[in-house]
């Protein structure tokens, strides 16, 4: 009885994977791509010299969680911690980072909302990053390369409507496997990172 849903899920995954492969057939000009070299690596980032932690958070991450299958299971307290990790609770978080001797974290700089909706998060992060640097902690900023929460992005930056990823006349939505099957997020459109206008927008 379980075979039919599993077969459907595998078929859907195959369709999504094939679509992504076909969409990626056009590549960027290689002359403009950055190519990492061993000499570009700072000594603190060499193997054995860093202790790294992914520290997703902020109001924009909390909004994302509310629209994602895994985030819908969060308690009210967990949602509060996630939303305020970079502002109200950051001094406490910094103490924990130092106690655990982390010297490198990543933070959620942008994950697909409009620039207007993400502005407060970036302002909070400017202060948090300055505190990290003052305490010897390096910071990488997570930036979603192709996610758009369309109700936010389209409303505040209508030009983003031009940058959607389409396949055979169908817009591509964010999708992924959950513990129970494939979940498609109809509020999240995928942008086409091959479009220069989209890359300029991100920068």
């Amino acid at each position: 009885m379980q075979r039919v849903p599993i077969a459907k899920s595998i078929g859907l995954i195959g369709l999504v994977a094939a679509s992504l492969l076909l969409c990626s057939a056009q590549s960027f000009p290689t002359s403009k791509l950055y190519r990492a070299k061993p000499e570009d690596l700072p000594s603190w980032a060499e193997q054995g010299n860093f202790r790294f932690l992914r520290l997703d958070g902020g109001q924009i991450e909390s909004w994302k969680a509310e629209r994602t299958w895994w985030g819908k299971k969060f308690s009210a307290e967990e949602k509060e911690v996630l939303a305020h990790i970079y502002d109200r609770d950051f001094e406490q978080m910094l103490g924990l980072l130092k106690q655990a001797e982390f010297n490198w974290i990543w933070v959620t700089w942008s994950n697909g909302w409009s620039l207007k909706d993400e502005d407060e998060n970036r302002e909070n992060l400017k202060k948090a990053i300055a505190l990290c640097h003052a305490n010897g902690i390096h910071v990488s900023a997570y930036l979603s390369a192709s996610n758009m929460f369309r109700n936010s992005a389209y409303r505040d930056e209508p030009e983003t409507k031009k940058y959607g990823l389409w396949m055979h006349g169908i817009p591509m939505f964010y999708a992924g496997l959950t513990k129970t099957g494939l979940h498609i997020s109809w509020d999240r459109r995928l942008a086409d990172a091959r479009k220069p206008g989209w890359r300029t927008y991100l920068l």
Side-chain angles (χ1 to χ4, degrees):
M1 298 295 270
Q2 293 260 342
R3 290 183 182 178
V4 173
I6 290 171
K8 283 183 179 175
S9 293
I10 291 170
L12 282 170
I13 293 167
L15 180 64
V16 170
S19 297
L20 291 174
L21 284 172
L22 287 170
C23 288
S24 64
Q26 295 178 347
S27 60
F28 298 121
T30 53
S31 60
K32 293 187 179 181
L33 286 178
Y34 167 75
R35 301 288 184 195
K37 304 177 194 68
E39 58 269 22
D40 293 339
L41 189 67
S43 60
W44 66 263
E46 290 176 0
Q47 195 65 33
N49 291 346
F50 65 85
R51 196 175 177 111
F52 176 80
L53 176 71
R54 175 176 168 170
L55 192 63
D56 287 317
Q59 186 61 62
I60 63 173
E61 192 67 21
S62 182
W63 290 339
K64 182 174 89 172
E66 288 170 8
R67 291 156 177 82
T68 310
W69 66 271
W70 48 264
K72 289 183 178 177
K73 299 177 182 180
F74 287 177
S75 68
E77 183 182 2
E78 288 168 330
K79 289 177 186 175
E80 272 286 295
V81 169
L82 183 64
H84 294 289
I85 203 164
Y86 299 147
D87 52 21
R88 184 191 68 200
D89 300 333
F90 192 73
E91 296 252 357
Q92 179 184 1
M93 177 54 66
L94 181 62
L96 293 170
L97 290 170
K98 290 167 65 177
Q99 183 180 337
E101 299 182 1
F102 284 104
N103 66 343
W104 186 9
I105 63 170
W106 100 356
V107 296
T108 308
W109 185 259
S110 174
N111 62 4
W113 305 94
S114 72
L115 299 177
K116 178 183 173 186
D117 281 347
E118 292 189 338
D119 188 57
E120 181 183 348
N121 191 68
R122 284 191 284 275
E123 289 304 313
N124 289 334
L125 277 173
K126 288 176 187 177
K127 298 169 196 162
I129 291 168
L131 280 171
C132 283
H133 289 170
N135 285 274
I137 298 172
H138 301 273
V139 182
S140 294
Y142 170 79
L143 178 76
S144 180
S146 60
N147 187 60
M148 284 191 284
F149 287 97
R150 60 194 178 117
N151 292 338
S152 167
Y154 290 3
R155 179 196 65 224
D156 294 332
E157 284 102 36
E159 74 274 13
T160 57
K161 292 178 186 177
K162 301 183 291 189
Y163 306 137
L165 180 62
W166 291 73
M167 193 68 187
H168 304 299
I170 300 169
M172 300 298 288
F173 292 89
Y174 185 90
L177 280 179
T178 70
K179 292 179 180 178
T180 57
L182 184 69
H183 172 75
I184 298 173
S185 181
W186 302 108
D187 290 328
R188 297 171 72 177
R189 279 287 313 275
L190 291 180
D192 189 341
R194 295 168 298 183
K195 295 184 176 177
W198 174 250
R199 300 199 302 274
T200 300
Y201 172 80
L202 289 179
L203 288 172

